[in-house]
Every structure is written in C-alpha cells, then in structure tokens.
Amino acid sequence: TVYSLDGLLVFGLLLVCTCAYLRKVPRLKAWLLSEKRGVWGVFYKAAVIGTRLHVAVAVSCILMAFYVLVVK
C-alpha cells in the first residue's frame, strides 16, 4: 500500500508525528534531530513541521484514520 496515494499520505503523517514526538525527548533530539542537512535533515524538517503545525497534523491524522477505517 506504500505505492498508492493514501499509503504515501499515511506514511508521511506517521513520519511527521513520530519525528515531532522524538523532538520532545532530549536525548533523542540531540542524537537523531541534530543534523539539518542530508538524509537526517528530513527527520529534522518533519519534526519542525509537526511541532509548528501540530493542529493541522492532528486534524489530518484524525481524517486519515477515519478514511482508512471507514471508507477504505
């Protein structure tokens, strides 16, 4: 299901939510989210998106859960 659009959206939302949660843990923030460039920079940017747009991300997660559980 990763190759479908809804699978990519679920993966993206889970990545953003996970990175935003890991940003709140001090040891993991220093270890995982310290780089701002390259491959590790993707996790940093996802964490920034998750913390700054937390309301929009939460609403998107609820809507995606409803879609996956009820519609699909």
Side-chain angles (χ1 to χ4, degrees):
T1 63
V2 177
Y3 299 113
S4 63
L5 180 63
D6 56 344
L8 286 173
L9 288 175
V10 168
F11 178 75
L13 281 172
L14 287 174
L15 179 74
V16 168
C17 292
T18 304
C19 288
Y21 176 75
L22 292 178
R23 189 172 178 161
K24 300 293 181 183
V25 180
R27 286 189 182 187
L28 292 176
K29 180 181 179 183
W31 178 67
L32 185 63
L33 302 172
S34 61
E35 289 291 323
K36 296 182 182 179
R37 291 188 190 174
V39 177
W40 293 106
V42 174
F43 298 120
Y44 173 79
K45 291 174 185 176
V48 170
I49 290 170
T51 54
R52 290 187 182 172
L53 300 174
H54 62 278
V55 174
V57 171
V59 170
S60 299
C61 286
I62 291 170
L63 291 175
M64 185 55 72
F66 178 77
Y67 172 76
V68 169
L69 291 175
V70 176
V71 177
K72 192 174 179 184

